[in-house]
Amino acid sequence: MQLTTKGRYAVTAMLDLASNDTGKPITLDIISQRQNISLSYLEQLFAKLRRAELVKSVRGPGGGYLLDAAAKDINLTQIIEAVDENIDLRRCKGLASCHNGRQCISHQLWCEVSEQIRTFLNGKTLQMVIDDHNLNKGL
């Protein structure tokens, strides 16, 4: 698994949205400026995050985006998978056909590593990352 900018930016933008939650919608332009992420890229990511029901959009004056659940209820796996990132390290995507149609010698290893990554990301919520950041930013 190589987490591309798509996954990194989606997590970063969701953290920005969660850490600046005042109950009022936040525009993508503001997130773009604060996080130095292209506005057009954020628009693509937020369309996927909205379809995954992780954010909701508010139209009109004063519109923007809000989390669709509490930050403590959104884990990093949900965000990464919503933007079509793959957490699976296996080249065969679990089909066990990576070595001339057969299971490769390292198949089980990559299964275990993929599961550890998934477990870690499932166990981390937006709120946990924000709390960790706030705790450690004074160091």
Side-chain angles (χ1 to χ4, degrees):
M1 169 196 141
Q2 180 170 347
L3 192 60
T4 67
T5 55
K6 188 169 36 171
R8 290 176 193 268
Y9 286 174
V11 169
T12 298
M14 289 289 285
L15 285 166
D16 183 287
L17 194 60
S19 63
N20 293 290
D21 185 9
T22 62
K24 295 179 182 175
I26 298 174
T27 66
L28 294 183
D29 187 51
I30 290 173
I31 296 172
S32 171
Q33 291 173 31
R34 283 196 294 234
Q35 300 304 324
N36 196 28
I37 302 171
S38 157
L39 179 59
S40 61
Y41 201 55
L42 281 176
E43 289 169 346
Q44 295 171 33
L45 294 175
F46 271 73
K48 292 178 179 191
L49 293 167
R50 192 180 77 248
R51 280 193 295 276
E53 299 180 350
L54 297 176
V55 297
K56 56 187 168 188
S57 62
V58 177
R59 295 185 179 267
Y65 285 89
L66 297 163
L67 294 179
D68 203 16
K72 68 179 183 59
D73 296 325
I74 299 173
N75 68 51
L76 302 185
T77 299
Q78 291 173 287
I79 298 166
I80 291 167
E81 289 181 342
V83 296
D84 304 321
E85 285 281 59
N86 186 6
I87 298 174
D88 191 347
L89 290 173
R90 300 169 296 183
R91 281 189 294 162
C92 66
K93 308 295 182 241
L95 300 175
S97 61
C98 44
H99 186 68
N100 296 324
R102 296 187 328 254
Q103 183 173 304
C104 70
I105 195 168
S106 59
H107 182 82
Q108 190 57 38
L109 169 70
W110 301 126
C111 287
E112 291 174 22
V113 173
S114 295
E115 188 55 37
Q116 289 292 321
I117 292 169
R118 178 174 293 287
T119 299
F120 176 80
L121 294 173
N122 272 333
K124 286 285 187 182
T125 66
L126 288 174
Q127 191 62 56
M128 291 168 75
V129 175
I130 291 166
D131 291 345
D132 287 347
H133 172 73
N134 290 337
L135 184 66
N136 293 312
K137 73 180 178 183
L139 299 178

